[in-house]
């Protein structure tokens, strides 16, 4: 069985990153092309819940299963979209100094 996975840091830091809305829109349009086929998509630095909601709304028809990892004061910035049911999730929280 082949599993196709895409992971991407979308650099979604509001007020610092440039052209976030345009990049997210272009990314979702790319993923919705008929010839683009991934089973699982993992995204990093989706810091805004509104950005996650937008991506989820755009991809829901092709990737109906998703999870947004909430943690800490500003969240983890990580989320997953899948064509297959997500059975369980786990987030291993790292300390800032890496210990």
């Amino acid at each position: 069985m082949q599993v196709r996975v895409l992971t991407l840091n979308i650099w979604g830091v509001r007020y610092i990153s440039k052209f976030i809305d345009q990049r997210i829109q272009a990314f979702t349009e790319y993923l919705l092309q008929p010839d683009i086929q991934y089973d699982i998509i993992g995204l990093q630095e989706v810091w805004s819940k509104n950005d996650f909601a937008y991506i989820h709304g755009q991809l829901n028809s092709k990737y109906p299963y998703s999870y947004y990892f909430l943690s800490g004061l500003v969240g983890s910035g990580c989320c997953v979209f899948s064509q297959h049911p997500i059975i369980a999730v786990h987030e291993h929280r790292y300390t800032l100094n890496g210990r």
Side-chain angles (χ1 to χ4, degrees), residues 3 9-12 16-17 19 25 33 36 40 47 49 51 58-59 69 74 80-81 83 87-88 91 94-95:
V3 177
N9 181 324
I10 67 165
W11 196 43
I16 296 174
S17 304
F19 309 110
Q25 181 181 357
Q33 294 177 39
I36 303 301
I40 302 168
W47 294 111
K49 290 180 189 177
D51 289 341
Q58 296 299 306
L59 299 182
F69 292 87
V74 296
V80 175
F81 298 90
Q83 290 187 346
I87 305 298
E91 177 184 17
Y94 292 92
T95 59

Side-chain angles (χ1 to χ4, degrees), residues 6 8-12 14 20-29 31-32 41-68 77-82:
L6 170 71
L8 179 70
N9 181 324
I10 67 165
W11 196 43
R14 290 277 164 188
I20 294 173
D21 295 329
Q22 295 90 334
R23 286 187 286 109
I24 290 174
Q25 181 181 357
F27 179 64
T28 57
E29 288 174 3
L31 290 174
L32 292 174
I41 299 167
L43 299 179
Q44 301 85 46
E45 291 200 14
V46 182
W47 294 111
S48 165
K49 290 180 189 177
N50 290 336
D51 289 341
F52 171 75
Y54 174 81
I55 296 167
H56 178 266
Q58 296 299 306
L59 299 182
N60 193 45
S61 63
K62 191 170 180 180
Y63 300 94
Y65 306 99
S66 65
Y67 191 84
Y68 187 66
C78 297
C79 58
V80 175
F81 298 90
S82 177

